[in-house]
Amino acid sequence: MRVLRSIEEARVYLDKGCCLTIGNFDGVHVGHKALLNKLKERARDLFVPSVVLTFDPHPLKVLKGSCPPFITPMPQKIELLQKEGIDLILCIEFTPDFATISARAFVEDILVKALKVKEMVIGYDYAFGRDREGNYELLKELGDKLGFLVWRVEPVYVKGEVVSSTRIRKMVQQGMVWEVRELLGRFYQVYGEVVKGFRRGGPMLGIPTANLHLVDELFPKEGVYAVWVEWRERIYKGVANIGYNPTFGNSVLSVETHILNFNHDIYGEKIKVHFVQRIREEKKFSSIEELKNQILKDIEKGRRLLDRSDARIHNG
Ligand code: ADP
Ligand code: RBF
Ligand code: MG
């Protein structure tokens, strides 16, 4: 799979045309995967590359100044799309100027002339361009005129409701990490660098925790979780705490993980934490001893939860 950053770069790879989808794909969830499967199927039939066109930064961030926290920041999105077997990701810089291009001009000049799109696959509710005028009906009309086909993929339902990035964000924010895995098709994961904290874990409690550097991504609700930890291509069991360490009266949020049966200095390294199940709320303890006893119980509970066959980790 290739990741390209401009239309000009992409041209070189698309001389025979392509099958293309556009979207933000935050979360790369089971709804997105249904759409990506259709895209791959059509690309295979036509012997052309499958292309995902996405924007960076998020259009809402450029136009409105902010956007919802990411379920999958760009590097994770790229990794997940790669696992889906997409041939080419075209990640175009979204600028205020770009936003002024009409949907028609975008389709004619970029999709048809530059990218030689043969077929498009879009989600059931997709719309793009100025005032969201680029919807299925417009694409269909332009497709008939300019010679490309448009496929609209129906939504995927889980427990009677449509799977969407918004629904996934809400569930994660409520701590429903066990339930959300059905919508994601994997555990909810965060990826980041291990940074220094207050150095209390190892020295004071005897339970060191790898603290994650926080970026503007989505974190589950405060509390204690059983997690899988990925470090250097290996998977370890872990227990994570998300919160303010009220026992110590901190005021900054930390996301920290004690990795079971592990003893390495991993400051400055990247780890991936997969949230499997919520264990309890974060609490204020009246002594360090009590906190420590509770964490030891959490570790045992985490170990048992992760030993269950339905907690196994499959798809990275
Ligand atoms: P800090 O406040 O800087 O996070 P800690 O006392 O919590 O300090 O120690 C965390 C560091 O200890 C980790 O960043 C890692 O480098 C190291 N470490 C060693 N063993 C473990 C373990 N089992 N789980 C997590 N971190 C560990
Ligand atoms: N800190 C708290 O103040 N209250 C808690 O309930 C709490 N639970 C934790 C559970 C686990 C499994 C772990 C690893 C940490 C927990 N902590 C809690 C955080 C603890 O205060 C922190 O690890 C140390 O302050 C070192 O950073
Ligand atoms: Mg720590």
Side-chain angles (χ1 to χ4, degrees):
M1 188 186 71
R2 281 175 199 281
V3 182
L4 303 176
R5 295 277 168 181
S6 72
I7 308 280
E8 287 66 42
E9 262 183 283
R11 254 182 227 270
V12 186
Y13 298 97
L14 304 180
D15 53 323
K16 288 191 299 175
C18 66
C19 284
L20 178 140
T21 185
I22 318 182
N24 183 41
F25 297 101
D26 189 27
V28 193
H29 55 60
V30 294
H32 295 143
K33 286 180 207 174
L35 191 155
L36 296 172
N37 284 339
K38 181 76 187 174
L39 179 73
K40 284 186 291 180
E41 179 197 303
R42 296 307 309 142
R44 212 179 304 124
D45 278 6
L46 298 181
F47 298 101
V48 294
S50 52
V51 180
V52 170
L53 196 164
T54 192
F55 297 104
D56 187 32
H58 194 295
L60 282 179
K61 184 137 192 168
V62 175
L63 299 173
K64 302 226 165 20
S66 72
C67 61
F70 295 118
I71 304 168
T72 49
M74 193 54 79
Q76 273 161 279
K77 194 188 289 182
I78 288 172
E79 190 183 305
L80 291 163
L81 289 172
Q82 173 151 35
K83 280 189 184 147
E84 290 305 309
I86 299 303
D87 295 316
L88 205 153
I89 298 179
L90 181 50
C91 181
I92 303 180
E93 187 186 352
F94 194 85
T95 59
D97 268 355
F98 199 94
T100 64
I101 303 176
S102 73
R104 276 173 198 275
F106 177 77
V107 172
E108 291 185 15
D109 300 339
I110 296 178
L111 300 187
V112 176
K113 287 208 190 94
L115 305 177
K116 298 197 173 70
V117 66
K118 298 283 175 267
E119 297 192 7
M120 278 190 80
V121 179
I122 58 164
Y124 71 103
D125 64 346
Y126 191 66
F128 67 95
R130 218 169 49 192
D131 306 323
R132 293 177 69 77
E133 60 191 343
N135 55 17
Y136 175 71
E137 282 69 32
L138 181 81
L139 284 173
K140 192 96 182 48
E141 179 202 318
L142 293 173
D144 289 345
K145 196 172 95 187
L146 303 167
F148 63 88
L149 266 181
V150 186
W151 300 87
R152 178 153 59 170
V153 176
E154 291 305 312
V156 171
Y157 287 79
V158 167
K159 302 247 176 338
E161 272 182 71
V162 172
V163 174
S164 70
S165 304
T166 308
R167 184 175 168 206
I168 291 171
R169 271 184 218 109
K170 281 189 194 144
M171 288 173 79
V172 172
Q173 280 161 342
Q174 289 167 2
M176 298 166 72
V177 296
W178 179 254
E179 293 81 359
V180 85
R181 117 205 123 111
E182 225 187 311
L183 283 71
L184 285 171
R186 62 178 184 275
F187 293 118
Y188 181 70
Q189 52 180 239
V190 299
Y191 177 68
E193 189 187 328
V194 176
V195 292
K196 296 217 157 85
F198 296 101
R199 302 289 188 116
R200 292 186 192 122
M204 272 173 82
L205 290 162
I207 306 169
T209 57
N211 295 38
L212 277 184
H213 173 63
L214 306 183
V215 284
D216 54 351
E217 67 186 286
L218 181 68
F219 284 102
K221 181 183 169 178
E222 287 143 39
V224 179
Y225 295 85
V227 300
W228 291 110
V229 184
E230 244 180 286
W231 175 65
R232 294 192 178 176
E233 257 108 78
R234 282 201 59 187
I235 303 255
Y236 301 85
K237 288 177 180 165
V239 277
N241 185 65
I242 300 182
Y244 295 87
N245 302 176
T247 308
F248 298 94
N250 285 359
S251 57
V252 287
L253 183 79
S254 65
V255 177
E256 44 177 324
T257 306
H258 173 68
I259 309 169
L260 274 55
N261 306 319
F262 182 91
N263 186 13
H264 295 279
D265 180 337
I266 54 171
Y267 283 121
E269 301 208 23
K270 295 269 174 81
I271 59 170
K272 200 187 268 174
V273 179
H274 305 256
F275 290 86
V276 177
Q277 209 171 111
R278 191 162 197 271
I279 297 179
R280 64 173 175 89
E281 303 265 334
E282 189 187 40
K283 284 187 291 201
K284 183 178 167 83
F285 289 90
S286 41
S287 71
I288 293 179
E289 204 49 40
E290 278 176 60
L291 169 63
K292 180 173 176 169
N293 284 337
Q294 180 57 53
I295 296 179
L296 292 175
K297 283 186 198 152
D298 296 335
I299 291 174
E300 282 326 302
K301 176 123 191 219
R303 199 193 301 278
R304 273 202 313 279
L305 286 172
L306 295 166
D307 273 335
R308 287 171 45 160
S309 58
D310 54 355
R312 265 187 221 135
I313 183 158
H314 307 281
N315 175 21

